[in-house]
Amino acid sequence: MGKKILILESSETLQKIFTATLDKEKYTLQFVAAGKDALYKLFEFQPDLFLLNTDIQWPGSFEIVKIIRSIGCFEFLSIGMYATFPAPLDEVCAKECGANTFVWFDRESFSQKVNELAEIPTHEIDKQALAQIKTGFNDSLLFLKATELLHWDVRKNSMFSELMHLIDSLENIEEIVKSFLLLIAEVCEVPIASLYIVENDGPHGYYVCSENMGEKEIDDFLKVCLTDFERVQLNYNAVKISHKKLAAKSSLNRFCSKDVQLSSYESETLKSLSGNERFGTVHIVSEGNISAEKRSFFISCVRNTAAIFDKALTVKKRMFFEKRIRHAFSRFVPEQIIDSLVMQEDKTDEKLGVGETRTVAILFSDIRSFTNISEKNKPDVLVAFLNRYFSTMVEIIKKHGGTIDKFIGDAIMAEFGTPVSYEDNCRRAIAAAYEMRAALPDIELGDLVLPDGMKFNIGIGIHYGDVIVGSIGSKDKTDYSVIGDSVNLASRLEGLTKTYGSQILVSQSVLEDAGEDSFCFRHLDDVRVKGKKNAVPIYAVDRNEEEFPFAYKDAYIKGMDLYKQGIWNLAKNYFEKALAAVAGDKAAQLMLSRCEEFIKNPPKNWDGAIEFLTK
């Protein structure tokens, strides 16, 4: 015998389509046109599947499904709902009231959809329960069932109203969990309820219970809960979860008589608003059976209040994010940058941990001949001096919007453009370097002893380029840092300040981004540093236009032009003129020495750039 299908459909046209579409050998169809008739026909026909149109009224189709689900023998009856012109919430309401599936018919796919409905898996009706209920089923019972459903709807609405007040306590997720579980336990009439939720630091378990419950009963219940939670959250080891008892309430004692075993258990999953993420589970257990009405209420409440928990987790995540950001950056980043980071969306938190590519200005600063200085001083004197020096330099860098990446001995590495980027990152980096140089005379040396003839000095290199930004390190220690070839080049430029006798060196990309007229740039050379194939033009940043006279700059520029063309004998004359204008200038002396060397030993494949093979 084929599958028996009862169809609640008032349209004769649609009834004919069902008859014409479904295979008569596979299905036996029975039609009814009114909801009340359908309820009586269920007992008589005992179908494998019940289909109904969402347009049915008086009573409505959704109410009919709710009533059917409240009748014990039809608790697992396969029910499908359909619509030819569905309202916006039809599908949601169909699932809410207890239908197994919902489909939308259109002209092109009507036949296919009819067959899909017919193929809904069926559940065998409990014949014994059916016989018991059938004898007393009448209009009075229908009225009673409708009244019960109305009662539960009122209780649901009341509970939702109570839960809405919890929005005021979004910053205290435990308080929300406690209130929610107590409401669930009291309305569902269970002695214990638990909730497991994934927070920032991992999963946590909470429960409320009757004062009469024994430790063994509680432990047995929580073990079952953990097993179900593990099925939902496969990435967590539930055994490690600690359970926090939020309340033992005397009002729940009436649901814990000890006369009946805790035997009827239910659980439901907490899902995000999008439905794509499962972040927790809710569990209850009762003495004796949990009625269909209470089960429906439990499921509905969990699903409808998941949004509150989702929001509470978002708030807690933001608070955790803010705390972590302020802790990580407070010493090295301007306060306004931290405020800006905190105000950004939560996805920023993810980016802080996951590598991303950014274009930033990297600054390296180093104390000249610090090894010689350290040999002359005791460790405590060096440390005290470095603390004073770093404090001054860090304040300057932060003032201009930079971020301290790390201290490497006596060196400072900083970035302009991460974690917060500005339109003028390079200008900020140069301005910071400019002020760092100007602050040197004010650095308190204290007991620091400098080698004979040495003046306290620093070198600064700046490059602008792409880097990879993220939290880098091991599981025990991570630092927010940048890596990449641009970092290496900035470090090389700092090292070249000693070679060219300039305190601040920047690359061509820094000059272009900052603007040629923004500072006093002076082209020194084109170099090919270790690790780089292409030559990089490098520029000194002078204090002002008057620091080097016109005669010097004019001679140096003309000498560089001839030098790059390989006309070293003429270039030599111009570098001599530059030295005459500024006696002892290290850059002009270096270029003069190269010209003299190249006149004697011309380099092969000359392209105008000198190569430095050391760091």
Side-chain angles (χ1 to χ4, degrees), residues 81-295:
M81 302 190 76
Y82 59 89
T84 50
F85 298 100
L89 295 177
D90 273 1
E91 184 171 2
V92 175
C93 292
K95 292 181 179 178
E96 177 68 24
C97 70
N100 296 84
T101 189
F102 170 85
V103 298
W104 172 25
F105 285 146
D106 56 48
R107 291 183 179 180
E108 295 181 358
S109 63
F110 194 93
S111 297
Q112 177 187 344
K113 296 294 185 180
V114 169
N115 281 289
E116 285 181 14
L117 282 174
E119 293 301 323
I120 296 174
T122 58
H123 297 273
E124 186 176 350
I125 296 175
D126 186 335
K127 304 294 184 181
Q128 185 177 356
L130 178 67
Q132 290 176 353
I133 296 174
K134 183 179 180 181
T135 57
F137 192 80
N138 51 36
D139 287 359
S140 298
L141 183 60
L142 278 177
F143 177 78
L144 178 62
K145 289 295 181 183
T147 303
E148 287 178 352
L149 290 174
L150 181 61
H151 167 73
W152 280 104
D153 284 341
V154 170
R155 299 196 75 176
K156 283 182 183 179
N157 292 335
S158 299
M159 181 170 181
F160 294 152
S161 178
E162 287 293 318
L163 289 171
M164 287 303 105
H165 294 302
L166 296 178
I167 293 177
D168 297 332
S169 305
L170 282 177
E171 294 184 2
N172 189 343
I173 196 166
E174 283 192 14
E175 186 62 33
I176 296 176
V177 172
K178 175 183 174 182
S179 300
F180 173 74
L181 289 178
L182 285 174
L183 279 169
I184 284 283
E186 290 184 353
V187 177
C188 291
E189 300 181 349
V190 296
I192 186 169
S194 69
L195 184 146
Y196 294 81
I197 195 165
V198 179
E199 301 179 35
N200 297 308
D201 54 347
H204 291 256
Y206 306 97
Y207 71 95
V208 299
C209 65
S210 160
E211 293 177 335
N212 295 337
M213 286 199 69
E215 291 298 325
K216 185 177 187 309
E217 290 176 303
I218 295 174
D219 289 343
D220 289 344
F221 169 68
L222 294 178
K223 287 177 182 177
V224 176
C225 298
L226 282 175
T227 301
D228 276 356
F229 176 77
E230 257 191 338
R231 292 195 187 103
V232 174
Q233 296 289 342
L234 301 176
N235 296 327
Y236 295 103
N237 184 357
V239 176
K240 296 183 179 180
I241 299 176
S242 59
H243 302 88
K244 188 166 187 178
K245 186 177 183 179
L246 298 180
K249 199 171 182 182
S250 58
S251 61
L252 303 182
N253 291 347
R254 64 187 187 276
F255 311 131
C256 187
S257 66
K258 300 287 187 179
D259 297 330
V260 182
Q261 283 191 332
L262 295 173
S263 55
S264 188
Y265 167 84
E266 291 290 335
S267 69
E268 187 66 20
T269 302
L270 286 168
K271 297 181 181 179
S272 62
L273 291 173
S274 64
N276 297 325
E277 182 182 359
R278 300 180 177 188
F279 58 84
T281 53
V282 185
H283 315 260
I284 58 174
V285 68
S286 172
E287 291 184 345
N289 292 328
I290 297 176
S291 68
E293 293 91 346
K294 292 176 183 177
R295 183 182 297 111

Side-chain angles (χ1 to χ4, degrees), residues 389-397 412 436 439-440 443 458:
Y389 165 74
F390 284 146
S391 295
T392 300
M393 295 305 171
V394 166
E395 284 304 311
I396 293 172
I397 291 170
I412 301 172
M436 290 166 70
L440 290 179
I443 300 292
I458 64 173

